[in-house]
């Protein structure tokens, strides 16, 4: 009798604990309450840049429009580009939109949205440089790149073939400066970003040669995580493209095509 009593007590306890457990999961924040932390590059016009206390740019307007369209809450977390994927891996970010190119290497650690912008790398030199006309003229030269970017990877992967010395910077303005002031001979940057920068103000720089590759930007979440929000991002992107909002955002910064 005593044994049965103990056993039923054990059963009741087990059921109670199980019930608590399931209560906890059903009490998890639903996606409508959760504030998604979105990593953005600190200085990357026309995609993201600070204007007074606000962040502006194609990526900023796009992610805000997606959030509104899909009824999700977001919070921007500006940081150096090189820190974004590590921050996602450390679970400090849920989403990243940072002019981030979709690459097979990154696909091992993140899942990308459908592509939202065509980009690609290009070589940039000082305006008065007449010897470097393309990537093939870089032998023996110092090339500035930005940490963690596809430009940095291109330079590192081809360093011995091209016989270049690669120097790394945390952000694009610092990398531009290095070439403007003659400390480095060339830099590698995304075409839409450097052409926008040169059109905005005279940086004393010019683009040379053909684009080194063609790539596309995607919005990222950590691989296998936040799949519900990735679905919403894709749905939002699709709707904003359909209703003309996407084109309007791009035109705000780049003018009519
Ligand atoms: N598109 C490049 C990359 O994905 C550069 C991005 C950036 O500098 N924000 O690496």
């Amino acid at each position: 009798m005593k044994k049965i009593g103990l056993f039923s007590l054990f059963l009741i306890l087990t059921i109670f604990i199980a019930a608590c457990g399931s209560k906890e999961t059903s009490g998890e924040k639903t996606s409508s309450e959760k504030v998604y932390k979105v990593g953005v590059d600190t200085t990357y016009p026309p995609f993201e840049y600070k204007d007074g206390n606000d962040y502006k740019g194609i990526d900023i307007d796009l992610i805000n429009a997606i959030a509104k369209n899909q009824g999700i809450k977001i919070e921007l977390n500006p940081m150096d580009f090189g820190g974004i994927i590590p921050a996602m891996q450390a679970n400090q970010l849920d989403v990243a939109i940072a002019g981030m190119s979709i690459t097979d290497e990154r696909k091992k650690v993140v899942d990308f949205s459908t592509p939202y912008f065509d980009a690609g790398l290009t070589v940039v030199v000082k305006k008065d440089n007449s010897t470097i006309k393309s990537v093939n003229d870089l032998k023996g030269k110092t090339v500035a790149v930005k940490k963690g970017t596809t430009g940095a990877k291109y330079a590192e992967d081809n360093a011995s073939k091209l016989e270049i010395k690669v120097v790394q910077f945390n952000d694009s303005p610092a990398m531009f400066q290095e070439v403007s002031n003659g400390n480095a001979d060339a830099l590698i940057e995304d075409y839409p970003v450097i052409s926008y920068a040169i059109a905005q103000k005279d940086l004393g720089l010019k683009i040379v040669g053909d684009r080194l590759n063609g790539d596309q930007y995607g919005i990222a979440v950590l691989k296998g995580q936040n799949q519900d929000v990735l679905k919403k991002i894709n749905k939002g992107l699709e709707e904003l493209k359909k209703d003309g909002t996407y084109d309007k955002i791009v035109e705000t910064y780049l003018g009519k095509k």
Side-chain angles (χ1 to χ4, degrees):
M1 194 58 195
K2 209 178 169 196
K3 245 187 184 169
I4 295 169
L6 261 180
F7 182 65
S8 22
L9 189 70
F10 175 70
L11 256 185
I12 291 168
L13 259 177
T14 319
I15 294 168
F16 180 67
I17 291 167
C20 285
S22 67
K23 205 172 170 194
E24 224 163 65
T25 31
S26 66
E28 248 174 33
K29 284 193 172 174
T30 60
S31 51
S32 62
E33 306 171 87
K34 185 175 156 108
V35 178
Y36 291 96
K37 291 200 175 100
V38 179
V40 297
D41 192 348
T42 317
T43 38
Y44 210 51
F47 296 94
E48 34 219 295
Y49 60 94
K50 204 166 184 194
D51 184 29
N53 286 327
D54 285 341
Y55 277 91
K56 283 193 176 161
I58 296 171
D59 283 357
I60 307 290
D61 290 2
L62 193 57
I63 198 70
N64 280 328
I66 290 170
K68 197 170 162 213
N69 182 280
Q70 294 294 305
I72 54 177
K73 294 196 182 77
I74 58 162
E75 170 202 292
L76 298 178
N77 286 242
M79 58 184 74
D80 286 338
F81 183 79
I84 292 179
I85 290 184
M88 293 181 98
Q89 289 173 309
N91 285 314
Q92 290 159 354
L93 292 176
D94 300 302
V95 176
I97 182 163
M100 189 185 282
S101 305
I102 300 171
T103 68
D104 287 341
E105 200 193 10
R106 288 183 181 146
K107 277 188 193 163
K108 290 180 193 151
V109 289
V110 300
D111 291 322
F112 283 105
S113 69
T114 47
Y116 69 89
F117 201 90
D118 293 335
L121 298 168
T122 191
V123 177
V124 178
V125 297
K126 215 172 161 174
K127 222 174 171 180
D128 58 13
N129 184 309
S130 55
T131 54
I132 303 172
K133 295 193 179 72
S134 82
V135 70
N136 302 316
D137 302 322
L138 291 177
K139 192 174 167 183
K141 305 290 183 199
T142 299
V143 178
V145 296
K146 179 164 127 191
K147 279 183 195 155
T149 61
T150 44
K153 181 153 179 18
Y154 180 94
E156 279 159 5
D157 288 353
N158 292 288
S160 55
K161 192 179 95 191
L162 296 173
E163 298 180 46
I164 54 171
K165 180 177 172 234
V166 181
V167 282
Q168 309 238 8
F169 294 88
N170 286 330
D171 56 61
S172 291
M175 170 176 72
F176 297 166
Q177 176 97 43
E178 197 69 0
V179 177
S180 313
N181 68 21
N183 285 343
D185 303 294
L187 64 88
I188 300 177
E189 176 60 286
D190 287 20
Y191 186 88
V193 170
I194 189 64
S195 53
Y196 179 84
I198 291 173
Q200 287 298 108
K201 67 174 178 205
D202 188 6
L203 293 169
L205 300 173
K206 68 176 177 188
I207 293 168
V208 289
D210 295 330
R211 280 193 213 195
L212 303 175
N213 67 355
D215 62 24
Q216 293 181 303
Y217 293 165
I219 304 169
V221 297
L222 194 62
K223 197 169 177 66
Q225 305 284 308
N226 284 312
Q227 297 297 304
D228 47 340
V229 78
L230 183 61
K231 266 190 212 132
K232 288 183 181 170
I233 288 170
N234 279 331
K235 187 96 192 40
L237 261 178
E238 194 187 319
E239 287 184 14
L240 299 177
K241 280 191 178 165
K242 241 187 257 164
D243 73 8
T245 308
Y246 173 87
D247 285 340
K248 225 182 266 164
I249 291 173
V250 173
E251 276 166 21
T252 305
Y253 298 94
L254 299 180
K256 269 201 192 306
K257 266 188 222 158

